[in-house]
Amino acid sequence: MLVMQHYNFSGIMASSPHSNHTTVVQETKVETCNATLPPSNPTAAGLTMTLGILFNVVALIILAKAYNRFRRRSKATFLLLASSLVATDLAGHVIPGALVLRRYSAGTGSTSDTASHLSCNPADPDASCLFLGGCMVFFGLCPLFLGCAMAAERCLGVTKPLLHARLVTTARTKMALTLIWLLALCVALLPFFSLGAYTYQYPGTWCFIRVMEGTKATDLAFVMLFSGLALSSLALAFVCNTISGITLVRARLKKRSSSQRCSARSHDTEMVVQLVGIMVTSCICWSPLLVFGLMSATRSYSGSLSSDRETYRGLMVMGVRMATCNQILDPWVYILLRRAILKKIYSITKRQASFKGSTFRSIRWDVGYFQNSEKNTVGKI
């Protein structure tokens, strides 16, 4: 998914050779998309998409190599879930991103081609809009569900390792992945069964649940379901990661483990740190769109949105821009928060702290020496 940008449609309408009556009809048809079509130069959007694909591919290669290297069941299960999350992020970046990039590229054609390709009537969305809206919901829920599943799996592995070894297997993990994808797909397909609807959103380059124009009870119920599932996943991941972190800190403070258990605990620490990074990234990137979408749908359904419509349009655009950053930032969690990188950061920090401590002690010694010398001089006088 690409970052949505602003575009002025007035130039296209002014250059149209049709009569004033035709112009008025066209302006009415695309009222909500007026002055909002994508820019004619898709270079920035293509660059964003390329970088997102590159980051996800690099993270996927790192995880694949780690999965082949580690044969411990808990580590292998975590890496399988993490690889599935990165692969889902990659697909969620490529598929919707290609559709959005197509709308950007359509602005480079002739005036008639541009008007035909970029008309975005919210009352009658085309097939590409419906597909894009479904992708937004599917690839929005999947990473949040997977992050929650990874947090729950690690919480069980840290707090109840014997129960984890007995219950969590590769076959069951793959079955859980399939169920997660199916659940997200079922939610994304609900508008095709008359529960909610997908429509073009301001500025006309992306599609999502109908939250701004003519929101119905089914739309409000669909938004509440989508936002409720997503926010519940974030909350459950927060609880599981908190329990895992507290358990690891207590184990570290008590120092009751052998050297072998210390090695296992370092792996657990690495995985929990990565999970916290995923959780923080998801919360920052997805919470605005979830909250603003729910607020917009609620106010639109109650009829109190008319005075603040432009404000909520801007909030929705900001929310979707932040949501698209999640698929770009997630890979960096695995690239940067690996044990080798964390050890280097820890050693550099420790070296800097020891250097500052030695410098401070040296300064204190110099000051004390100066004071003693001064007292001896005064005594001699």
Side-chain angles (χ1 to χ4, degrees), residues 139-211:
F139 290 113
L141 288 177
C142 277
L144 301 181
F145 287 166
L146 289 172
C148 180
M150 292 166 64
E153 184 270 337
R154 269 303 81 212
C155 182
L156 181 62
V158 171
T159 58
K160 304 289 183 181
L162 296 179
L163 181 62
H164 176 273
R166 186 168 67 251
L167 292 181
V168 180
T169 61
T170 302
R172 290 176 178 174
T173 302
K174 292 179 180 179
M175 184 181 300
L177 287 172
T178 304
L179 292 177
I180 287 173
W181 287 324
L182 285 177
L183 177 60
L185 180 61
C186 289
V187 175
L189 292 177
L190 286 179
F192 297 95
F193 296 94
S194 301
L195 180 60
Y198 296 124
T199 185
Y200 283 102
Q201 303 289 327
Y202 177 90
T205 54
W206 62 294
C207 294
F208 193 56
I209 307 169
R210 183 166 53 195
V211 296

Side-chain angles (χ1 to χ4, degrees), residues 155 158-159 239-251 272 276:
C155 182
V158 171
T159 58
V239 173
C240 292
N241 289 330
T242 301
I243 295 174
S244 301
I246 292 175
T247 304
L248 290 175
V249 170
R250 286 180 176 178
V272 171
V276 171

Side-chain angles (χ1 to χ4, degrees), residues 266-301:
S266 66
H267 285 289
D268 291 334
T269 303
E270 176 190 16
M271 290 184 281
V272 171
V273 169
Q274 290 179 346
L275 285 174
V276 171
I278 294 171
M279 180 190 67
V280 172
T281 302
S282 299
C283 286
I284 294 175
C285 293
W286 274 103
S287 293
L289 181 61
L290 298 173
V291 174
F292 295 152
L294 189 58
M295 292 171 58
S296 300
T298 304
R299 296 201 60 180
S300 177
Y301 179 70

Side-chain angles (χ1 to χ4, degrees), residues 65-230:
K65 290 183 177 179
Y67 182 79
N68 292 328
R69 186 169 67 253
F70 290 97
R71 294 301 177 185
R72 292 178 60 250
R73 176 176 294 178
S74 60
K75 183 70 174 180
T77 302
F78 175 83
L79 291 173
L80 179 59
L81 291 171
S83 301
S84 302
L85 174 59
V86 174
T88 304
D89 280 337
L90 178 61
H93 195 77
V94 173
I95 298 174
L99 295 175
V100 176
L101 189 61
R102 176 178 174 271
R103 293 188 61 80
Y104 277 86
S105 302
T108 60
S110 62
T111 300
S112 58
D113 292 338
T114 302
S116 62
H117 280 87
L118 299 181
S119 61
C120 44
N121 184 10
D124 187 24
D126 54 10
S128 63
C129 177
L130 298 178
F131 181 72
L132 180 57
C135 288
M136 288 285 294
V137 172
F138 176 79
F139 290 113
L141 288 177
C142 277
L144 301 181
F145 287 166
L146 289 172
C148 180
M150 292 166 64
E153 184 270 337
R154 269 303 81 212
C155 182
L156 181 62
V158 171
T159 58
K160 304 289 183 181
L162 296 179
L163 181 62
H164 176 273
R166 186 168 67 251
L167 292 181
V168 180
T169 61
T170 302
R172 290 176 178 174
T173 302
K174 292 179 180 179
M175 184 181 300
L177 287 172
T178 304
L179 292 177
I180 287 173
W181 287 324
L182 285 177
L183 177 60
L185 180 61
C186 289
V187 175
L189 292 177
L190 286 179
F192 297 95
F193 296 94
S194 301
L195 180 60
Y198 296 124
T199 185
Y200 283 102
Q201 303 289 327
Y202 177 90
T205 54
W206 62 294
C207 294
F208 193 56
I209 307 169
R210 183 166 53 195
V211 296
M212 300 290 294
E213 305 288 342
T215 304
K216 302 177 181 179
T218 53
D219 300 320
L220 181 59
F222 187 39
V223 173
M224 293 177 65
L225 176 64
F226 172 73
S227 299
L229 289 174

